[in-house]
Amino acid sequence: QVHLVESGGGLVQPGGSLRLSCAASGSIFSINDMYWYRQAPGKERELVAIITGGGSTSYADSVKGRFTISRDNAKNTMYLQMNSLKPEDTALYYCNAIVVVASTLSEYPYWGQGTQVTVSS
């Protein structure tokens, strides 16, 4: 069994910063690609950023230059540094990871429960 837990969300003023974390635990052999998604009320889930197992990154145009995705493989943890936050960044942020499970060496996708980010004055 593998669990992903996000943390770091909260209420921040426009122009502020937050750092989200996504910690994976359980029967993990390795973690391949990891993703941050977000979903605002009444909108579809949106892919925000990707970091591959090799560390390559990609971002949605809406966050490029403001958000930075990173990972610490020793801690099985992924981060999202969010700067210059805007009200339109308000959403529930989810992490997703493609995990190679130790017991089977098979690859499965896992999701966290989400952490709320609210940008408002």
Side-chain angles (χ1 to χ4, degrees), residues 31-35 50-54 71 96-99 107:
I31 303 177
N32 293 331
D33 297 352
M34 302 182 79
Y35 309 81
I50 302 168
I51 185 164
T52 68
R71 62 192 289 170
N96 172 233
I98 310 303
V99 178
E107 195 176 74

Side-chain angles (χ1 to χ4, degrees), residues 22-87:
C22 170
S25 62
S27 180
I28 298 170
F29 178 78
S30 64
I31 303 177
N32 293 331
D33 297 352
M34 302 182 79
Y35 309 81
W36 284 104
Y37 287 83
R38 66 186 181 186
Q39 188 165 20
K43 295 189 175 181
E44 292 188 355
R45 188 172 293 189
E46 174 190 18
L47 177 60
V48 175
I50 302 168
I51 185 164
T52 68
S56 297
T57 60
S58 180
Y59 299 91
D61 287 343
S62 58
V63 306
K64 207 171 288 184
R66 300 188 297 122
F67 290 11
T68 302
I69 190 171
S70 61
R71 62 192 289 170
D72 183 336
N73 292 329
K75 296 181 179 180
N76 288 331
T77 300
M78 172 177 65
Y79 305 96
L80 186 68
Q81 177 67 43
M82 305 187 295
N83 299 327
S84 303
L85 282 161
K86 305 175 181 180

